[in-house]
Amino acid sequence: KLIKDALTMYAGLNGSLERITLRSLSLENPCVKSTPELKYRNNKFVFDAGFLGNIAQNLDYRIGGSFGIVENMPFYVNDTINGLLNQFALVYDDVNVLNINAELGFKRSNEMHFWVGADYFQYWMDQEEKPWHRPNFRLNVGGDYIINDKYLVKAELFFQGEMYAKLHHEGEVISEKINGWADLNLGLEYRITDKLSAFVKLNNVLNNGYLKWYNYPVQKFNALLGVSFAF
């Protein structure tokens, strides 16, 4: 603690050996093929450090970063065995990864929450040309506000930077650029009772038909109405 309740510095050094499973891959990319080559990811060296604290009573922040040396890091590539290119296989590479990140959060009692978080990534590859389907930047801004203990208004904006897909053409590897995108979601919830609520969600309000994975455009603007009951 450099300044009590206002500025704390942290640092850590570690490593680990992780079993890559179909479940963990599917949670990240539901379009991965059912029989990918599974290996162990070896995080040989991971150093992280940063600062965190309070700017004001209701305003928290954290600024940090990490650098890792990783063997057998998985990357998603379109499976060329399937002519539709609608499934993903894995390629592994040894990489050095730099991640710089920051978070800012505001909270006023239980009525209002606001947050913003950003991540920047830099990869140094051993064999592969690009970190396939890994974006170089992510940003998340959101908040929610309770009105009269009955209405809950939510908003969240996601932004992701560019990434690359590995394709093949006439025997040569091609790096296909996938543009960055922005996605805005809005929501309104009406609390009928302590356990029963009705809600409406407006997804992809900006109506962007961006590619989340190569050859996989997301659904444009859509809305969801429903009710929820808590036991």
Side-chain angles (χ1 to χ4, degrees):
K1 294 185 178 181
L2 302 179
I3 303 176
K4 186 178 180 180
D5 299 328
L7 178 61
T8 299
M9 180 180 178
Y10 66 89
L13 178 64
N14 60 71
S16 62
L17 190 64
E18 303 175 15
R19 174 64 173 170
I20 298 172
T21 66
L22 180 59
R23 174 177 171 80
S24 64
L25 295 172
S26 299
L27 290 174
E28 183 179 34
N29 183 352
C31 309
V32 67
K33 62 189 297 186
S34 59
T35 56
E37 181 184 7
L38 301 177
K39 295 185 178 182
Y40 283 91
R41 169 173 167 162
N42 184 8
N43 303 304
K44 299 180 64 176
F45 172 93
V46 180
F47 173 76
D48 68 293
F51 298 90
L52 57 87
N54 302 318
I55 300 176
Q57 183 178 1
N58 299 322
L59 192 61
D60 302 325
Y61 71 91
R62 185 187 63 80
I63 301 173
S66 66
F67 178 79
I69 299 176
V70 183
E71 288 184 349
N72 290 334
M73 186 171 183
F75 297 91
Y76 298 104
V77 294
N78 293 80
D79 188 7
T80 56
I81 296 178
N82 187 330
L84 297 177
L85 298 179
N86 63 352
Q87 286 187 315
F88 292 88
L90 299 179
V91 294
Y92 292 88
D93 201 0
D94 300 338
V95 300
N96 295 343
V97 185
L98 173 68
N99 172 220
I100 300 174
N101 50 74
E103 297 176 353
L104 184 68
F106 174 81
K107 181 177 181 181
R108 189 178 71 183
S109 66
N110 292 322
E111 297 178 354
M112 179 184 295
H113 298 151
F114 172 81
W115 63 88
V116 57
D119 281 275
Y120 169 78
F121 300 93
Q122 179 69 48
Y123 297 87
W124 289 270
M125 313 295 293
D126 184 33
Q127 300 291 333
E128 297 294 325
E129 181 181 353
K130 300 284 187 180
W132 312 117
H133 284 100
R134 301 284 182 181
N136 61 352
F137 181 75
R138 286 195 182 106
L139 175 69
N140 179 20
V141 181
D144 54 64
Y145 181 61
I146 299 176
I147 305 173
N148 298 328
D149 295 327
K150 285 290 186 180
Y151 295 93
L152 174 63
V153 180
K154 298 180 180 180
E156 195 159 16
L157 174 65
F158 299 94
F159 177 81
Q160 180 171 290
E162 65 184 30
M163 58 185 184
Y164 289 86
K166 182 179 183 179
L167 303 179
H168 296 81
H169 179 69
E170 296 181 352
E172 295 184 359
V173 175
I174 299 176
S175 300
E176 181 75 15
K177 182 180 177 180
I178 302 175
N179 293 327
W181 48 264
D183 192 330
L184 175 63
N185 300 318
L186 303 175
L188 175 63
E189 178 181 340
Y190 174 63
R191 297 175 176 175
I192 303 171
T193 68
D194 291 340
K195 296 184 178 181
L196 182 64
S197 300
F199 64 86
V200 56
K201 294 181 179 180
L202 305 179
N203 302 314
N204 199 356
V205 175
L206 301 177
N207 200 37
N208 290 333
Y210 59 86
L211 296 178
K212 190 168 184 179
W213 307 97
Y214 181 78
N215 226 17
Y216 270 89
V218 300
Q219 186 173 1
K220 291 187 177 182
F221 173 74
N222 62 93
L224 178 66
L225 299 173
V227 295
S228 62
F229 182 78
F231 294 92

